[in-house]
């Protein structure tokens, strides 16, 4: 017969792992949202010294590529670099993988503990209960 204290502790650890996994998956989703915002929104180039210039988003440009402006001498091409976007995406991959593993492991552990407790309850004779 399983110890009730062990079962409660096991489920607590499983729920904690599941919560950490959910948190990491949420962080990865925020990173993907950040990439989407950087990729899809128009932006402004310039500062206090220079005149500002509106630039199209990297995704919805009317030109063949978003870097076509570099040939024409505009400063829009150099402002939003692809390495920044790819760096955020690269950061989101291990976060989402670890989050998925923790969430899945916690869910499976908790479900298996519930299943084992139900099997034990069903296998005890009616006269003992």
């Amino acid at each position: 017969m399983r110890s009730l204290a062990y079962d409660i502790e096991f489920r607590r650890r499983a729920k904690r792992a599941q919560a950490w996994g959910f948190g990491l998956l949420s962080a990865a989703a925020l990173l993907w949202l950040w990439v989407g915002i950087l990729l899809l929104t128009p932006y402004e180039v310039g500062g206090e010294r220079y005149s500002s210039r509106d630039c199209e988003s990297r995704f919805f440009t009317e030109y063949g590529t978003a870097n076509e402006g570099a040939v024409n001498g505009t400063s829009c091409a150099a402002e939003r670099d692809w390495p920044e976007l790819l760096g955020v995406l690269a950061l989101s991959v291990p976060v989402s993988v670890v989050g998925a593993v923790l969430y899945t492991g916690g869910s499976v552990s908790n479900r298996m503990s519930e299943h084992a407790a139900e099997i034990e309850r069903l296998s005890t004779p009616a006269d003992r209960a």
Side-chain angles (χ1 to χ4, degrees):
M1 187 167 174
R2 297 181 334 161
S3 169
L4 182 61
Y6 173 77
D7 190 43
I8 290 171
E9 178 65 22
F10 183 80
R11 288 186 190 189
R12 189 184 65 76
R13 284 193 321 256
K15 290 206 182 278
R16 186 175 57 213
Q18 190 177 16
W20 271 101
F22 183 77
L24 288 174
L25 286 173
S26 298
L30 288 175
L31 289 172
W32 275 90
L33 183 66
W34 183 23
V35 168
I37 287 171
L38 289 177
L39 190 62
L40 299 176
T41 57
Y43 56 100
E44 189 174 299
V45 175
E48 296 171 6
R49 286 198 229 165
Y50 307 107
S51 63
S52 63
R53 174 190 164 106
D54 291 332
C55 299
E56 294 181 42
S57 70
R58 296 296 251 164
F59 193 72
F60 295 119
T61 183
E62 292 180 4
Y63 306 112
T65 64
N67 289 328
E68 197 169 292
V71 176
N72 302 334
T74 62
S75 59
C76 287
E79 280 300 311
R80 285 213 176 151
D81 291 332
W82 287 109
E84 178 188 357
L85 294 171
L86 294 176
V88 173
L89 283 178
L91 178 65
S92 73
V93 170
V95 172
S96 61
V97 167
V98 170
V101 167
L102 282 175
Y103 186 81
T104 303
S107 297
V108 168
S109 296
N110 193 33
R111 186 75 175 136
M112 291 302 293
S113 177
E114 290 172 356
H115 177 71
E118 187 65 19
I119 293 294
E120 183 178 328
R121 185 187 68 82
L122 290 174
S123 66
T124 58
D127 58 336
R128 259 202 317 180

